[in-house]
Amino acid sequence: MAGSRSDAPVVIAVAITGSVPRKTDNPAVPVTVPEQVESTQQAFEAGATLCHIHVRNDDESPSSDPDRFAAVQEGLRRHCPGMIVQFSTGGRGRDPAARGLSLRHRPDMASLSTGSVNFPTIVYENSASLVTDLAGQMKQYGVRPEIEIFDLSHLHGAKRLVEAGLIDARPHVQFVMGVQNAMPAEEHLLDILLAETRRILPEATWTAAGIGRNQAIVMDWALARGADAVRTGLEDNIRVTKDRLAASNAELVGLAAEAVARHGRRVATPAEARAALGLG
Ligand code: ZN
């Protein structure tokens, strides 16, 4: 796993929308389904091979509407052939009981948080029973999870799911760094997380997400350690510099592709991305 694939192509994941940024923060944030499909197509053409999706209500608030998720998926399958479609089952402002409703549409992947953590203004609650329930639904519908690691204990939450037979022994894990009140973006913490992942989930593939101004530096740390994937997108960061908003998800993907090249690696094709993340 971790660190052993420094010559392998790198999956670029793009988190196009998220729960938080609004049009008033950056008008390029796609919130309607057509905007999401168009923004993703541009990102796909720039090298992204995995799209992490949240959907919004008409007032831009976070939604769990399975029909909206299905509509985005349909658009991506048409306009971004081979791209990995990943629905979020997390995010702020969603009823826990509704967070898994979209799984019945059988996306390739879905995010799965395996523990609770403080966020800027709320507790991001993921009770053990909710985690088990979501993992069970993913197994039922053949959806591959991406395990979201906001804290070291969440790795052990993933290990418990492996032991329970709810996920396989080769999960894809994402370390999320730089959320206010959660795990800070510090390089030595990534080494601690990787060491523990190697110890308890030795077959895992991995990536890391740096939030806000941490996006580029966390990507560099991940690439320097042989990450299987990197993550970018307007969900995590709406700027390219302190003074300039990102023009699009595609612009952020372009910066990620440059970072991949700087580390002597190349960007994965859709088929390579699917093989790397166990999607066949
Ligand atoms: Zn998300």
Side-chain angles (χ1 to χ4, degrees), residues 211-235:
I211 305 304
R213 61 188 166 79
N214 303 296
Q215 187 168 67
I217 189 72
V218 170
M219 194 180 295
D220 268 332
W221 298 339
L223 287 166
R225 288 162 176 77
D228 301 279
V230 293
R231 159 139 154 176
T232 190
L234 293 166
E235 169 171 348

mmCIF file of all heavy atoms in Angstrom, residues 211-235:
data_model
loop_
_atom_site.group_PDB
_atom_site.id
_atom_site.type_symbol
_atom_site.label_atom_id
_atom_site.label_comp_id
_atom_site.label_asym_id
_atom_site.label_seq_id
_atom_site.Cartn_x
_atom_site.Cartn_y
_atom_site.Cartn_z
ATOM 1 N N ILE A 211 -7.853 20.925 3.479
ATOM 2 C CA ILE A 211 -8.991 21.826 3.376
ATOM 3 C C ILE A 211 -8.508 23.278 3.307
ATOM 4 O O ILE A 211 -7.555 23.659 3.992
ATOM 5 C CB ILE A 211 -9.946 21.612 4.569
ATOM 6 C CG1 ILE A 211 -10.367 20.127 4.642
ATOM 7 C CG2 ILE A 211 -11.164 22.520 4.466
ATOM 8 C CD1 ILE A 211 -10.995 19.566 3.380
ATOM 9 N N GLY A 212 -9.201 24.068 2.474
ATOM 10 C CA GLY A 212 -8.892 25.493 2.341
ATOM 11 C C GLY A 212 -7.476 25.707 1.835
ATOM 12 O O GLY A 212 -7.025 25.054 0.894
ATOM 13 N N ARG A 213 -6.766 26.604 2.502
ATOM 14 C CA ARG A 213 -5.418 26.958 2.038
ATOM 15 C C ARG A 213 -4.438 25.795 2.166
ATOM 16 O O ARG A 213 -3.306 25.875 1.689
ATOM 17 C CB ARG A 213 -4.896 28.169 2.817
ATOM 18 C CG ARG A 213 -4.784 27.918 4.293
ATOM 19 C CD ARG A 213 -4.460 29.202 5.070
ATOM 20 N NE ARG A 213 -4.673 29.004 6.495
ATOM 21 C CZ ARG A 213 -3.817 28.380 7.304
ATOM 22 N NH1 ARG A 213 -2.675 27.913 6.835
ATOM 23 N NH2 ARG A 213 -4.094 28.229 8.576
ATOM 24 N N ASN A 214 -4.844 24.713 2.819
ATOM 25 C CA ASN A 214 -3.967 23.539 2.970
ATOM 26 C C ASN A 214 -4.013 22.595 1.771
ATOM 27 O O ASN A 214 -3.294 21.585 1.747
ATOM 28 C CB ASN A 214 -4.370 22.746 4.216
ATOM 29 C CG ASN A 214 -4.335 23.583 5.479
ATOM 30 O OD1 ASN A 214 -3.268 24.037 5.878
ATOM 31 N ND2 ASN A 214 -5.488 23.814 6.082
ATOM 32 N N GLN A 215 -4.856 22.888 0.785
ATOM 33 C CA GLN A 215 -5.084 21.920 -0.294
ATOM 34 C C GLN A 215 -3.784 21.540 -1.010
ATOM 35 O O GLN A 215 -3.481 20.347 -1.163
ATOM 36 C CB GLN A 215 -6.089 22.487 -1.299
ATOM 37 C CG GLN A 215 -6.518 21.504 -2.366
ATOM 38 C CD GLN A 215 -7.722 22.025 -3.148
ATOM 39 O OE1 GLN A 215 -7.629 23.008 -3.867
ATOM 40 N NE2 GLN A 215 -8.859 21.375 -2.993
ATOM 41 N N ALA A 216 -3.036 22.513 -1.461
ATOM 42 C CA ALA A 216 -1.846 22.211 -2.272
ATOM 43 C C ALA A 216 -0.750 21.540 -1.449
ATOM 44 O O ALA A 216 -0.092 20.604 -1.920
ATOM 45 C CB ALA A 216 -1.315 23.493 -2.917
ATOM 46 N N ILE A 217 -0.547 21.977 -0.226
ATOM 47 C CA ILE A 217 0.560 21.416 0.559
ATOM 48 C C ILE A 217 0.267 19.975 0.977
ATOM 49 O O ILE A 217 1.148 19.115 0.932
ATOM 50 C CB ILE A 217 0.889 22.325 1.783
ATOM 51 C CG1 ILE A 217 2.173 21.864 2.464
ATOM 52 C CG2 ILE A 217 -0.220 22.361 2.815
ATOM 53 C CD1 ILE A 217 3.423 22.155 1.684
ATOM 54 N N VAL A 218 -0.975 19.695 1.334
ATOM 55 C CA VAL A 218 -1.315 18.308 1.696
ATOM 56 C C VAL A 218 -1.151 17.398 0.474
ATOM 57 O O VAL A 218 -0.687 16.261 0.574
ATOM 58 C CB VAL A 218 -2.734 18.231 2.300
ATOM 59 C CG1 VAL A 218 -3.189 16.784 2.438
ATOM 60 C CG2 VAL A 218 -2.768 18.924 3.660
ATOM 61 N N MET A 219 -1.514 17.927 -0.692
ATOM 62 C CA MET A 219 -1.333 17.154 -1.925
ATOM 63 C C MET A 219 0.149 16.834 -2.141
ATOM 64 O O MET A 219 0.512 15.701 -2.507
ATOM 65 C CB MET A 219 -1.888 17.970 -3.101
ATOM 66 C CG MET A 219 -2.077 17.185 -4.372
ATOM 67 S SD MET A 219 -2.727 18.233 -5.683
ATOM 68 C CE MET A 219 -4.338 18.655 -5.063
ATOM 69 N N ASP A 220 0.999 17.802 -1.900
ATOM 70 C CA ASP A 220 2.445 17.570 -2.046
ATOM 71 C C ASP A 220 2.940 16.511 -1.059
ATOM 72 O O ASP A 220 3.718 15.622 -1.426
ATOM 73 C CB ASP A 220 3.222 18.874 -1.810
ATOM 74 C CG ASP A 220 3.474 19.630 -3.101
ATOM 75 O OD1 ASP A 220 3.551 18.976 -4.164
ATOM 76 O OD2 ASP A 220 3.593 20.864 -3.047
ATOM 77 N N TRP A 221 2.486 16.600 0.185
ATOM 78 C CA TRP A 221 2.900 15.595 1.183
ATOM 79 C C TRP A 221 2.454 14.204 0.746
ATOM 80 O O TRP A 221 3.188 13.229 0.897
ATOM 81 C CB TRP A 221 2.289 15.907 2.546
ATOM 82 C CG TRP A 221 2.701 17.212 3.161
ATOM 83 C CD1 TRP A 221 3.805 17.950 2.868
ATOM 84 C CD2 TRP A 221 1.982 17.929 4.175
ATOM 85 N NE1 TRP A 221 3.827 19.086 3.635
ATOM 86 C CE2 TRP A 221 2.729 19.102 4.454
ATOM 87 C CE3 TRP A 221 0.800 17.700 4.878
ATOM 88 C CZ2 TRP A 221 2.309 20.038 5.409
ATOM 89 C CZ3 TRP A 221 0.383 18.630 5.829
ATOM 90 C CH2 TRP A 221 1.131 19.782 6.086
ATOM 91 N N ALA A 222 1.230 14.114 0.229
ATOM 92 C CA ALA A 222 0.691 12.807 -0.187
ATOM 93 C C ALA A 222 1.495 12.247 -1.362
ATOM 94 O O ALA A 222 1.884 11.075 -1.366
ATOM 95 C CB ALA A 222 -0.787 12.943 -0.545
ATOM 96 N N LEU A 223 1.753 13.100 -2.357
ATOM 97 C CA LEU A 223 2.489 12.634 -3.535
ATOM 98 C C LEU A 223 3.912 12.216 -3.155
ATOM 99 O O LEU A 223 4.442 11.242 -3.691
ATOM 100 C CB LEU A 223 2.504 13.721 -4.606
ATOM 101 C CG LEU A 223 1.152 13.927 -5.312
ATOM 102 C CD1 LEU A 223 1.151 15.234 -6.098
ATOM 103 C CD2 LEU A 223 0.829 12.742 -6.220
ATOM 104 N N ALA A 224 4.507 12.932 -2.226
ATOM 105 C CA ALA A 224 5.870 12.588 -1.788
ATOM 106 C C ALA A 224 5.913 11.228 -1.094
ATOM 107 O O ALA A 224 6.977 10.629 -0.966
ATOM 108 C CB ALA A 224 6.401 13.670 -0.844
ATOM 109 N N ARG A 225 4.752 10.763 -0.631
ATOM 110 C CA ARG A 225 4.684 9.476 0.082
ATOM 111 C C ARG A 225 4.024 8.383 -0.752
ATOM 112 O O ARG A 225 3.624 7.357 -0.219
ATOM 113 C CB ARG A 225 3.929 9.685 1.403
ATOM 114 C CG ARG A 225 4.749 10.468 2.412
ATOM 115 C CD ARG A 225 3.888 11.059 3.532
ATOM 116 N NE ARG A 225 4.734 11.718 4.530
ATOM 117 C CZ ARG A 225 5.296 12.918 4.361
ATOM 118 N NH1 ARG A 225 5.111 13.592 3.247
ATOM 119 N NH2 ARG A 225 6.055 13.443 5.305
ATOM 120 N N GLY A 226 3.900 8.629 -2.067
ATOM 121 C CA GLY A 226 3.401 7.571 -2.948
ATOM 122 C C GLY A 226 1.904 7.337 -2.890
ATOM 123 O O GLY A 226 1.432 6.213 -3.107
ATOM 124 N N ALA A 227 1.131 8.382 -2.633
ATOM 125 C CA ALA A 227 -0.327 8.225 -2.562
ATOM 126 C C ALA A 227 -0.892 7.640 -3.850
ATOM 127 O O ALA A 227 -0.378 7.883 -4.939
ATOM 128 C CB ALA A 227 -0.983 9.584 -2.291
ATOM 129 N N ASP A 228 -1.965 6.873 -3.703
ATOM 130 C CA ASP A 228 -2.648 6.309 -4.862
ATOM 131 C C ASP A 228 -3.494 7.359 -5.567
ATOM 132 O O ASP A 228 -3.805 7.214 -6.754
ATOM 133 C CB ASP A 228 -3.559 5.162 -4.412
ATOM 134 C CG ASP A 228 -2.771 4.067 -3.726
ATOM 135 O OD1 ASP A 228 -2.177 3.243 -4.448
ATOM 136 O OD2 ASP A 228 -2.708 4.054 -2.483
ATOM 137 N N ALA A 229 -3.895 8.380 -4.823
ATOM 138 C CA ALA A 229 -4.796 9.402 -5.372
ATOM 139 C C ALA A 229 -4.528 10.731 -4.688
ATOM 140 O O ALA A 229 -3.913 10.781 -3.619
ATOM 141 C CB ALA A 229 -6.255 8.981 -5.146
ATOM 142 N N VAL A 230 -4.982 11.789 -5.330
ATOM 143 C CA VAL A 230 -4.990 13.108 -4.695
ATOM 144 C C VAL A 230 -6.412 13.653 -4.810
ATOM 145 O O VAL A 230 -7.203 13.184 -5.633
ATOM 146 C CB VAL A 230 -3.999 14.097 -5.344
ATOM 147 C CG1 VAL A 230 -2.570 13.652 -5.095
ATOM 148 C CG2 VAL A 230 -4.264 14.266 -6.841
ATOM 149 N N ARG A 231 -6.701 14.626 -3.965
ATOM 150 C CA ARG A 231 -8.055 15.183 -4.000
ATOM 151 C C ARG A 231 -8.006 16.687 -4.104
ATOM 152 O O ARG A 231 -7.207 17.349 -3.435
ATOM 153 C CB ARG A 231 -8.806 14.768 -2.748
ATOM 154 C CG ARG A 231 -9.989 15.679 -2.465
ATOM 155 C CD ARG A 231 -11.190 14.966 -2.011
ATOM 156 N NE ARG A 231 -12.015 15.869 -1.207
ATOM 157 C CZ ARG A 231 -13.188 15.538 -0.717
ATOM 158 N NH1 ARG A 231 -13.693 14.353 -0.946
ATOM 159 N NH2 ARG A 231 -13.861 16.394 0.008
ATOM 160 N N THR A 232 -8.869 17.205 -4.966
ATOM 161 C CA THR A 232 -8.992 18.644 -5.112
ATOM 162 C C THR A 232 -10.463 18.985 -5.313
ATOM 163 O O THR A 232 -11.336 18.145 -5.149
ATOM 164 C CB THR A 232 -8.102 19.134 -6.282
ATOM 165 O OG1 THR A 232 -8.055 20.559 -6.255
ATOM 166 C CG2 THR A 232 -8.626 18.652 -7.631
ATOM 167 N N GLY A 233 -10.746 20.228 -5.660
ATOM 168 C CA GLY A 233 -12.119 20.616 -5.943
ATOM 169 C C GLY A 233 -12.628 21.725 -5.037
ATOM 170 O O GLY A 233 -12.080 21.990 -3.965
ATOM 171 N N LEU A 234 -13.691 22.354 -5.510
ATOM 172 C CA LEU A 234 -14.240 23.532 -4.829
ATOM 173 C C LEU A 234 -14.890 23.188 -3.486
ATOM 174 O O LEU A 234 -15.067 24.076 -2.651
ATOM 175 C CB LEU A 234 -15.249 24.239 -5.751
ATOM 176 C CG LEU A 234 -14.640 24.888 -7.005
ATOM 177 C CD1 LEU A 234 -15.733 25.257 -8.018
ATOM 178 C CD2 LEU A 234 -13.832 26.137 -6.636
ATOM 179 N N GLU A 235 -15.260 21.932 -3.253
ATOM 180 C CA GLU A 235 -15.772 21.555 -1.927
ATOM 181 C C GLU A 235 -14.773 21.910 -0.843
ATOM 182 O O GLU A 235 -15.139 22.389 0.226
ATOM 183 C CB GLU A 235 -16.068 20.047 -1.855
ATOM 184 C CG GLU A 235 -16.334 19.587 -0.416
ATOM 185 C CD GLU A 235 -16.839 18.164 -0.277
ATOM 186 O OE1 GLU A 235 -17.223 17.558 -1.300
ATOM 187 O OE2 GLU A 235 -16.882 17.661 0.858
#
